[in-house]
Amino acid sequence: MRLKRFTAGALALSILATLPTAALASGSAASEDTAGYLILGEDLSDSQEKTVLKLLDVDDLSDYEVSYTTHEEEEELFGSYLSASLLGTKALSSILLIPAEEGSGITVTTYNISYCTEEMYQTALADAGVADVEVHVAAPTSLSGTCALASAFKAYTIMTGEELDEDATDAAAEEIVTTGEVGEAIGDTDTATKLIAVLKEKALSEGLDEDEIGDTLDQLCENMEVTLDDETRQKIIDLIVKLQNADIDLDTIKQQASDLYDSIKSELEKLDESGATEGSSNAFTALIQSIVDFFKSLFGNLFG
């Protein structure tokens, strides 16, 4: 029964990653003459670069605006939060950023990335003010992928002609690291990603103080049957407070919360229509409804 309950909870949270992510960047300097913005790790060997380009489906470099990211730039973004073993000594992971239609949000695909998940990239990019892009991340072999986030920020700056807010990019980097640590602590990075994302939306939308953030986090953990030690719990709270002080658009946060609730309710209705809940216990069925009620209680001010 515990497995079923956790699965239902994880399903509800998993919908967050599929939601469109809106923007706070204004204007765009994107060139109509380029197929995208290709940012390669500066330390790639010739053979490694060929591997990366193949993974990114890039045939002719002249079709793209090409630049490079150094290990020093990666260290500048992540050095305060990650150990040297995760950062490594070379800039290798690379990205291809392609402008998307307004309102389409952020989509991410990864190849050979072992630490940063697609959802972690999506969340970090949204925090920093990136919007309406396709991001493809690749490394020649299995790597953490931290260099690629620095590359994505660089590509978006080149595309728009505007610098991203430094506090927001710093907070985004810390969110990736904290999410990874929480995922390791609870044994599920995917659930950690969604838990932090939902908490962030609630806190930023309603301006929660530190105590209220802690109470909401406890409520989330109880509902999802996630157990945190005191150190991990405080680390999440500190992250959310930092995100509150960054330049993140509140209207975007509120829209994400509304879309999240609607998507969860729709997905659970589909499960019921498909018969996925048939034969389940009354307690399991009640849990499904409780998930909808729970998220509605979190974001009730949005639904009237």
Side-chain angles (χ1 to χ4, degrees), residues 5 8 14 40 49 64 68 85 111 145 160 180 201 259 280 293:
R5 293 183 65 188
S14 70
L40 299 169
E49 183 173 312
Y64 302 87
Y68 295 85
S85 61
Y111 311 92
T160 62
E201 288 185 335
D259 290 344
S280 300
D293 294 341

Side-chain angles (χ1 to χ4, degrees), residues 70-139:
T70 67
H71 181 62
E72 288 71 27
E73 289 172 304
E74 179 185 8
E75 282 188 314
E76 184 177 351
L77 183 61
F78 282 104
S80 300
Y81 309 116
L82 276 178
S83 66
S85 61
L86 272 174
L87 276 176
T89 59
K90 295 181 178 181
L92 298 172
S93 58
S94 306
I95 70 107
L96 173 62
L97 183 147
I98 301 173
E101 292 183 5
E102 184 177 354
S104 61
I106 300 170
T107 59
V108 179
T109 55
T110 62
Y111 311 92
N112 288 337
I113 302 300
S114 60
Y115 180 79
C116 299
T117 66
E118 293 175 356
E119 294 169 7
M120 288 164 70
Y121 282 123
Q122 284 177 315
T123 298
L125 291 168
D127 286 348
V130 173
D132 302 328
V133 292
E134 296 177 24
V135 180
H136 304 273
V137 185

Side-chain angles (χ1 to χ4, degrees), residues 61 84 137-138 150 269 302:
L61 288 179
V137 185
E269 287 172 351
L302 299 178

Side-chain angles (χ1 to χ4, degrees), residues 2-304:
R2 180 179 176 83
L3 178 60
K4 287 183 178 178
R5 293 183 65 188
F6 181 81
T7 301
L11 169 65
L13 284 179
S14 70
I15 297 162
L16 176 62
T18 65
L19 298 178
T21 308
L24 58 89
S26 59
S28 174
S31 170
E32 296 180 358
D33 298 327
T34 183
Y37 300 82
L38 180 65
I39 312 293
L40 299 169
E42 187 182 58
D43 297 312
L44 290 168
S45 66
D46 289 343
S47 62
Q48 288 174 327
E49 183 173 312
K50 288 179 181 178
T51 298
V52 165
L53 293 178
K54 184 176 181 179
L55 290 170
L56 294 175
D57 198 25
V58 171
D59 295 321
D60 188 346
L61 288 179
S62 65
D63 291 335
Y64 302 87
E65 189 161 339
V66 182
S67 187
Y68 295 85
T69 293
T70 67
H71 181 62
E72 288 71 27
E73 289 172 304
E74 179 185 8
E75 282 188 314
E76 184 177 351
L77 183 61
F78 282 104
S80 300
Y81 309 116
L82 276 178
S83 66
S85 61
L86 272 174
L87 276 176
T89 59
K90 295 181 178 181
L92 298 172
S93 58
S94 306
I95 70 107
L96 173 62
L97 183 147
I98 301 173
E101 292 183 5
E102 184 177 354
S104 61
I106 300 170
T107 59
V108 179
T109 55
T110 62
Y111 311 92
N112 288 337
I113 302 300
S114 60
Y115 180 79
C116 299
T117 66
E118 293 175 356
E119 294 169 7
M120 288 164 70
Y121 282 123
Q122 284 177 315
T123 298
L125 291 168
D127 286 348
V130 173
D132 302 328
V133 292
E134 296 177 24
V135 180
H136 304 273
V137 185
T141 58
S142 181
L143 295 172
S144 66
T146 51
C147 178
L149 184 65
S151 295
F153 290 162
K154 176 181 284 190
Y156 194 73
T157 296
I158 293 171
M159 184 184 82
T160 62
E162 298 181 4
E163 292 292 332
L164 292 169
D165 182 80
E166 187 174 344
D167 289 340
T169 57
D170 179 62
E174 185 171 350
E175 181 167 357
I176 275 192
V177 175
T178 300
T179 299
E181 292 174 348
V182 174
E184 183 176 351
I186 67 176
D188 187 340
T189 300
D190 186 59
T191 295
T193 304
K194 293 7 173 261
L195 186 149
I196 291 173
V198 171
L199 178 62
K200 176 181 65 179
E201 288 185 335
K202 173 72 171 177
L204 271 65
S205 294
E206 300 186 10
L208 303 183
D209 62 29
E210 187 167 336
D211 288 340
E212 291 169 329
I213 292 169
D215 291 342
T216 303
L217 175 58
D218 293 341
Q219 187 181 6
L220 272 168
C221 289
E222 180 180 356
N223 186 269
M224 305 313 302
E225 296 191 343
V226 170
T227 301
L228 302 174
D229 59 36
D230 291 342
E231 181 181 356
T232 303
R233 178 182 181 274
Q234 188 59 49
K235 188 170 293 187
I236 294 173
I237 293 171
D238 291 344
L239 168 67
I240 300 302
V241 171
K242 184 170 187 173
L243 288 165
Q244 286 180 316
N245 294 324
D247 187 15
I248 298 176
D249 181 60
L250 291 182
D251 288 337
T252 297
I253 296 298
K254 291 178 181 180
Q255 184 58 52
Q256 286 179 316
S258 179
D259 290 344
L260 172 61
Y261 170 77
D262 291 340
S263 296
I264 290 172
K265 186 173 181 180
S266 174
E267 191 64 25
L268 293 177
E269 287 172 351
K270 289 178 183 177
L271 278 177
D272 189 55
E273 291 172 0
S274 69
T277 60
E278 288 181 6
S280 300
S281 67
N282 290 335
F284 179 63
T285 303
L287 177 70
I288 292 176
Q289 183 59 49
S290 77
I291 293 169
V292 174
D293 294 341
F294 173 67
F295 281 96
K296 187 172 182 179
S297 73
L298 281 181
F299 306 114
N301 63 308
L302 299 178
F303 310 118

